[in-house]
Amino acid sequence: MNFLKSLDSRRSIRHFDATALISNDEIMEILNHAANAPSGNNAQPWKVVVIKNKKLLQKLQAFSFNQTQVGRAAAVFLILGDKKNYNVDQLIQKHLKYKIINESQVSDKRNRIQTYYSFHPEDKEEIGLRLDIGLFSMNLMHVLRSFGYDSVPMRGVQFEKIMQLLELPTDWSPILLLPVGKATTKGHEHVREKAENFTTIIN
């Protein structure tokens, strides 16, 4: 399958083989690929909690309006964001750690990040977090397909109860629930507007 065919054939799958398994090693490999997604100032604010325990999946299903794809998934990826990753000092330290900059470039990099945030302060708040997590999540969905798994992005869940159940930090923002597994159906065909209906080209 070539790249464009893979993109065009993605479906939101709501019927999974309940006996299918996904290994921890495979999950980590998938997430390492997904983490190549872009993010503002390379903040990488995503946090991922992967639930495989079948009893917990049944509880998650109860907090997801009893949608069966949650309980039948091989794993459910809870994707969250942490606004602390937008802290300028933390960003500078990350850039130094990975040798993106050296010590002589710290002042210039700090000024550029602070200037950017002065133009777009919302990008270090919930709005920016949802954009960055969205980019990561879309990347993750396509990576999952390359490993032979399908998924369905979900927001219609009781995130507060899920956070309490899993005893997660209260300063993490839950953005998306992503049930993952082996599809037993092809899913619904896409119905999409043609590009000419939503595009303006200025030559």
Side-chain angles (χ1 to χ4, degrees):
M1 185 182 301
N2 67 35
F3 181 65
L4 289 178
K5 187 174 181 181
S6 176
L7 287 177
D8 292 345
S9 62
R10 188 207 65 81
R11 301 286 185 270
S12 290
I13 298 298
R14 294 175 174 82
H15 298 91
F16 294 120
D17 176 358
T19 66
L21 302 175
I22 181 170
S23 72
N24 291 354
D25 286 344
E26 204 169 18
I27 288 169
M28 299 309 290
E29 187 177 357
I30 287 167
L31 289 171
N32 277 322
H33 285 292
N36 284 298
S39 58
N41 291 300
N42 198 28
Q44 304 172 56
W46 36 79
K47 302 288 184 184
V48 183
V49 178
V50 183
I51 303 97
K52 296 170 60 178
N53 180 281
K54 295 300 183 182
K55 289 183 179 179
L56 276 179
L57 289 178
Q58 291 304 313
K59 291 181 179 179
L60 291 184
Q61 179 174 327
F63 295 149
S64 305
F65 300 98
N66 205 36
Q67 295 181 77
T68 56
Q69 66 265 24
V70 177
R72 294 178 63 86
V76 169
F77 289 54
L78 174 60
I79 307 171
L80 312 99
D82 187 352
K83 285 185 282 189
K84 292 195 298 295
N85 283 50
Y86 297 131
N87 177 275
V88 176
D89 289 333
Q90 184 168 314
L91 285 170
I92 293 295
Q93 290 306 310
K94 184 178 291 185
H95 281 72
L96 286 169
K97 176 182 177 181
Y98 293 108
K99 302 186 188 306
I100 298 170
I101 61 172
N102 57 44
E103 290 288 351
S104 68
Q105 298 170 308
V106 166
S107 178
D108 180 62
K109 186 65 176 179
R110 184 184 303 277
N111 287 336
R112 280 190 288 158
I113 294 173
Q114 289 174 333
T115 299
Y116 171 80
Y117 282 145
S118 73
F119 291 150
H120 298 285
E122 71 276 10
D123 281 5
K124 57 180 178 178
E125 301 300 334
E126 192 73 14
I127 290 175
L129 202 62
R130 287 173 182 251
L131 172 60
D132 286 341
I133 300 306
L135 292 168
F136 171 82
S137 299
M138 194 73 252
N139 228 33
L140 173 58
M141 284 185 273
H142 287 305
V143 172
L144 283 162
R145 293 200 71 233
S146 75
F147 278 76
Y149 298 97
D150 283 284
S151 63
V152 54
M154 295 176 58
R155 285 277 302 162
V157 303
Q158 295 173 288
F159 281 117
E160 184 176 345
K161 290 184 177 180
I162 292 173
M163 295 289 286
Q164 291 171 352
L165 172 67
L166 301 177
E167 299 181 347
L168 298 176
T170 57
D171 55 352
W172 291 3
S173 296
I175 306 294
L176 196 71
L177 201 69
L178 190 70
V180 171
K182 295 288 186 177
T184 58
T185 62
K186 292 182 178 180
H188 297 298
E189 291 294 322
H190 284 163
V191 179
R192 296 292 187 267
E193 290 286 339
K194 294 292 185 182
E196 56 263 29
N197 293 335
F198 59 78
T199 305
T200 300
I201 299 176
I202 302 173
N203 292 312

